[in-house]
Amino acid sequence: MRRVVVLALGSFCCGSLWGQAGPYVRQEVDQAGSDRGKRVYTQFCINCHGALAKGTEQGPDLIRSPLVLRDRLGDQIGPALKKLANHKTDLTQAQVADLTHFLKDQIETTAKNRNPEHPPNVLTGNREAGRAYFNGAGKCNTCHSPSGDLAGVGRKYMPVDLQQRFLFPRRSKPIQVTVTPSGGQPVTGALERIDDFNVAVRDASGEYRTFTRTSALRVDINDPLAAHNQMLDVYTDQDMHNVVRYLESLK
Ligand code: HEC
Ligand code: HEC
């Protein structure tokens, strides 16, 4: 559901650029494309390739992938996505071009920050502005508290990791779902799987239950991380820096 707007915007641009640059010309990162690409990446790739595209157990490092390094505006990645198993095959050329700007951007950033003694400074924001955002426009305080779950978070993580954790939190609990058959009792539990035809729930007693999806079956999904993902479209860079600076002060 989310990000439909952004994806639609992405497709206005860049389609004709695919394959234009020759193989020996370095692809210049287009910052707007990279920003759009980040959203595509966050939606479709991050789970397996990781927040920094450096890989996870589910997928390889894309920063050091020769295929990605060779890519020019999607000419390698586009065809690869169509061939690779379990990859999305219906991205538009514009989305793929945006993805490659994002990945090139990551490659360049990684190269610039190679020295582990001098990690990038992510503490350039303003703490008070971050606090105000936390309790105001960001609505962070509707789910978090600086003296509760986030107490000491600035001690727990290095600043760079803190920024990652805040932008791309890990899911520690499964998505909850409530399924209500017409005229029946609602069943609430962990969402095990959902597609157009069925929804499977593991209820509080541990029982696995599958329902056929019909228009009469009500399905309410409650993903506590949905807010985080949606906010990626909303933060300005300044908001992010301010929030990180504020979180870092929670020692
Ligand atoms: C379900 C996990 C998963 C998702 C989601 C996923 N990938 Fe992958 N990706 C993999 C795995 C595993 C491989 C290695 C597979 C192989 O080599 O056959 C791979 C390989 C690749 C490669 C080839 C790298 C190389 O050096 O050969 C590229 C490029 C790639 N993925 C890009 C993407 C992009 C872009 C997205 C999002 C649109 C994405 N992947 C989403 C798991 C995933
Ligand atoms: C709708 C609820 C909700 C809102 C709003 C929300 N978060 Fe979160 N946040 C979560 C959940 C859920 C997690 C994952 C925690 C878990 O499952 O353990 C999380 C994780 C985090 C983490 C990582 C904590 C850790 O120890 O890894 C940080 C930092 C964080 N959020 C900061 C923020 C900030 C800053 C905002 C506002 C800009 C915000 N959150 C808004 C629900 C929310």
Side-chain angles (χ1 to χ4, degrees), residues 237-250:
D237 277 358
Q238 197 55 52
D239 294 335
M240 283 187 207
H241 294 145
N242 294 342
V243 167
V244 171
R245 182 70 189 79
Y246 169 60
L247 293 173
E248 194 270 343
S249 75
L250 303 176

Side-chain angles (χ1 to χ4, degrees), residues 44-45 48-49 58-60 62 65-68 77 81 84 86-87 91 99:
F44 299 120
C45 322
C48 297
H49 292 288
Q58 270 79 49
L62 294 181
S65 153
L67 188 150
V68 175
I77 296 178
L81 283 179
L84 287 160
N86 303 321
H87 278 69
L91 294 175
L99 268 175

Side-chain angles (χ1 to χ4, degrees), residues 69-85:
L69 288 173
R70 274 198 312 271
D71 183 81
R72 297 291 179 276
L73 298 168
D75 63 350
Q76 308 281 320
I77 296 178
L81 283 179
K82 297 215 192 299
K83 268 188 249 141
L84 287 160

Side-chain angles (χ1 to χ4, degrees), residues 177-195 197-213 217 219:
V177 62
T178 300
V179 179
T180 316
S182 94
Q185 285 297 315
V187 175
T188 295
L191 179 64
E192 291 280 341
R193 55 169 288 140
I194 185 163
D195 58 27
F197 309 106
N198 297 295
V199 51
V201 185
R202 190 170 301 279
D203 72 16
S205 68
E207 194 183 338
Y208 186 88
R209 303 178 56 175
T210 307
F211 299 84
T212 303
R213 295 189 69 183
L217 187 80
V219 179

